Amino acid sequence: MLTYEQARRTVIEQAEKAKGPRATAKISLWDALGFVLAEEVKTDREYPPFHRSTRDGYAVRAAEVSDGAKLRYVAEIKAGDAVTHSLAPGTCAQIMTGAAVPAGADAVVMIEHTNPEDDSVRFDRTAQAGQNIVPRGSEAKRGEAILSPGMRLGYAELALAAQVGATQLRCASKPRVAILSTGDEVVLVDQQPGAFQIRNSNSVSLAAQVRLAGGEPVLLGNAADRIDDLREKISHGLQQDVLVLSGGVSMGKYDLVETVLKDLGTQFYFDAVAIRPGRPAVFGKCGGTFVFGLPGNPVSTMVTFELFVAPAIDLLSGAPARDLPFVEARLSVALNEKPGLTHFLPARVEWRGTAPEVRALPWQGSGDIAALARANCFLVVAADHGQVSAGETVPILLRKDLI
Ligand code: AMP
Ligand code: MG
């Protein structure tokens, strides 16, 4: 059985092989969050476009400023003011943050270090040339590529595009990810379940995870645990870039997903991973479509999506696979988990003065969505280190939708 690292690597290798030129579309800056850029974005001018003051204070010639020095006050410069005159020797100009420093001046002295006196300003310390000024062109030259293909557009990248006037961005179209839940016990979320039925929460969490991962969810509803229904709905799902199934991949008599996938010609890369929850996770390819069969217990579905499906969506979007958001924290309550499997336990990490501290939350196993809704991370217990003492440093996988 593969470790989760090996299984993840397998997904990444296969998705990398499938990487080709993707369809692209122009997307408005306002809608482009989470898309992957498919073009270079270049600056339209130098940045900053003028020598920019980073402080409210006085523009001066640094050599003229020392403790007790006095300079004649000649002008006020606000952000946005056109600056045409150069600063004459022996003078200073009041200047605001973001305003252009006039020629002649080579430093800005913070207002806190000055005292106005009649038509002059007195200074209480020396100044260094260049202080509190960002030189013209120091952030980017004119025509310089500041965003490149394959970059994921987050809020800073979008602000950068906005800064240079790129209001339409050519982006890779999002991979289409079909979502199909399975199970005779499953009813639509807006239906009243019978006494022994459950609502289809997996399709909801999967659609949210697909969106967060940068994919476009295509909802196919639920298939009954019957060969004919599974076959019809899976065939439909195989028209998309990725098909994610929930349920039907365990060892039960009615776990038929693998059988149907096999009949349809799926090539399997793994059908179990040494993790808990999520052990029966399946990954394969059928035609041009990547297929993930995730176990149906909701926390298993969520964990296996993050570990295995998310990197495939990254790569099919034309971006590199993002690393798992691991950090380390101090364990506050000892653990004793079955060795041989890597455990992903719903947990809460909190900053405790000097370091993050984490504790596993009480839970009823992989069906316990409420426990995960109280968690902000997964505490990862290594397969060969099931007994962990309080105070040990442990890896945690952040819930990237929350932190
Ligand atoms: P399975 O992997 O098909 O054996 O499913 C395991 C358990 O997960 C089922 O007994 C249900 O309790 C639960 N489950 C399966 N599918 C869903 C779903 N779509 N939404 C919520 N829970 C589910
Ligand atoms: Mg089932």
Side-chain angles (χ1 to χ4, degrees):
M1 201 171 11
L2 299 186
T3 64
Y4 83 87
E5 292 100 330
Q6 290 168 330
R8 198 176 142 85
R9 181 108 299 276
T10 304
V11 170
I12 291 172
E13 276 165 20
Q14 292 305 324
E16 258 167 1
K17 273 193 215 158
K19 219 166 51 180
R22 292 202 54 82
T24 63
K26 282 268 186 194
I27 310 283
S28 153
L29 197 53
W30 298 99
D31 300 323
L33 180 69
F35 275 86
V36 172
L37 195 62
E39 65 176 346
E40 237 174 28
V41 175
K42 293 184 174 167
T43 56
D44 55 333
R45 55 179 179 166
E46 291 179 297
Y47 285 91
F50 47 81
H51 298 308
R52 184 178 63 206
S53 173
T54 62
R55 293 282 187 269
D56 293 320
Y58 289 92
V60 297
R61 293 165 183 264
E64 295 180 345
V65 175
S66 58
D67 188 3
K70 204 166 125 177
L71 293 173
R72 196 160 55 83
Y73 169 88
V74 290
E76 177 189 279
I77 310 167
K78 307 195 297 294
D81 282 353
V83 175
T84 47
H85 291 70
S86 63
L87 190 76
T91 70
C92 65
Q94 187 164 19
I95 190 163
M96 316 301 155
T97 302
V101 177
D106 62 358
V108 170
V109 177
M110 285 165 68
I111 196 131
E112 291 86 337
H113 303 143
T114 65
N115 276 302
E117 280 180 13
D118 306 327
D119 64 345
S120 303
V121 177
R122 192 173 291 282
F123 295 83
D124 68 8
R125 62 190 64 190
T126 57
Q128 270 75 51
Q131 75 179 33
N132 301 325
I133 296 174
V134 181
R136 183 175 67 223
S138 62
E139 290 168 3
K141 304 278 170 265
R142 183 193 171 94
E144 185 176 327
I146 43 156
L147 294 169
S148 42
M151 284 177 91
R152 185 173 301 282
L153 297 169
Y155 53 79
E157 291 72 18
L158 292 174
L160 193 54
Q163 189 181 46
V164 303
T167 56
Q168 298 280 321
L169 298 170
R170 184 156 292 282
C171 296
S173 57
K174 294 188 173 185
R176 290 172 61 83
V177 182
I179 296 171
L180 177 61
S181 72
T182 71
D184 290 344
E185 75 279 31
V186 176
V187 303
L188 300 178
V189 287
D190 50 5
Q191 270 177 6
Q192 185 60 42
F196 299 100
Q197 294 181 314
I198 55 165
R199 294 192 180 90
N200 186 358
S201 65
N202 282 350
S203 289
V204 174
S205 56
L206 284 172
Q209 288 180 289
V210 166
R211 285 213 175 83
L212 285 166
E216 183 70 44
V218 179
L219 293 168
L220 300 185
N222 185 69
D225 292 317
R226 284 197 327 266
I227 298 281
D228 59 336
D229 200 31
L230 282 166
R231 195 180 167 92
E232 186 200 320
K233 288 177 176 148
I234 286 177
S235 304
H236 202 76
L238 291 174
Q239 291 165 18
Q240 309 302 337
D241 300 304
V242 180
L243 167 61
V244 179
L245 292 130
S246 90
V249 288
S250 302
M251 299 299 284
K253 187 172 165 197
Y254 296 98
D255 290 325
L256 303 169
V257 165
E258 254 181 281
T259 310
V260 173
L261 286 173
K262 198 165 162 197
D263 285 351
L264 288 167
T266 302
Q267 184 189 353
F268 292 100
Y269 302 110
F270 59 79
D271 66 356
V273 186
I275 53 172
R276 177 177 283 172
R279 189 170 182 269
V282 172
F283 169 56
K285 198 173 183 194
C286 191
T289 300
F290 288 108
V291 185
F292 295 88
L294 309 183
N297 264 314
V299 180
S300 315
T301 317
M302 295 175 200
V303 168
T304 49
F305 184 97
E306 290 304 308
L307 296 179
F308 309 124
V309 187
I313 295 178
D314 274 345
L315 288 160
L316 295 176
S317 311
R322 279 170 278 188
D323 286 338
L324 287 169
F326 274 118
V327 292
E328 287 188 327
R330 216 178 72 88
L331 185 66
S332 59
V333 182
L335 290 168
N336 189 4
E337 299 295 329
K338 184 176 175 234
L341 301 171
T342 303
H343 295 257
F344 293 82
L345 309 173
R348 246 196 115 80
V349 61
E350 251 125 43
W351 188 258
R352 291 260 181 269
T354 54
E357 200 169 278
V358 67
R359 71 193 154 89
L361 299 179
W363 72 320
Q364 299 299 321
S366 56
D368 193 349
I369 310 177
L372 199 56
R374 286 191 290 269
N376 59 7
C377 66
F378 296 96
L379 202 166
V380 184
V381 182
D384 58 358
H385 190 61
Q387 285 197 12
V388 198
S389 314
E392 279 190 55
T393 299
V394 288
I396 59 174
L397 184 60
L398 299 176
R399 257 187 71 184
K400 61 176 191 257
D401 56 336
L402 290 190
I403 299 181

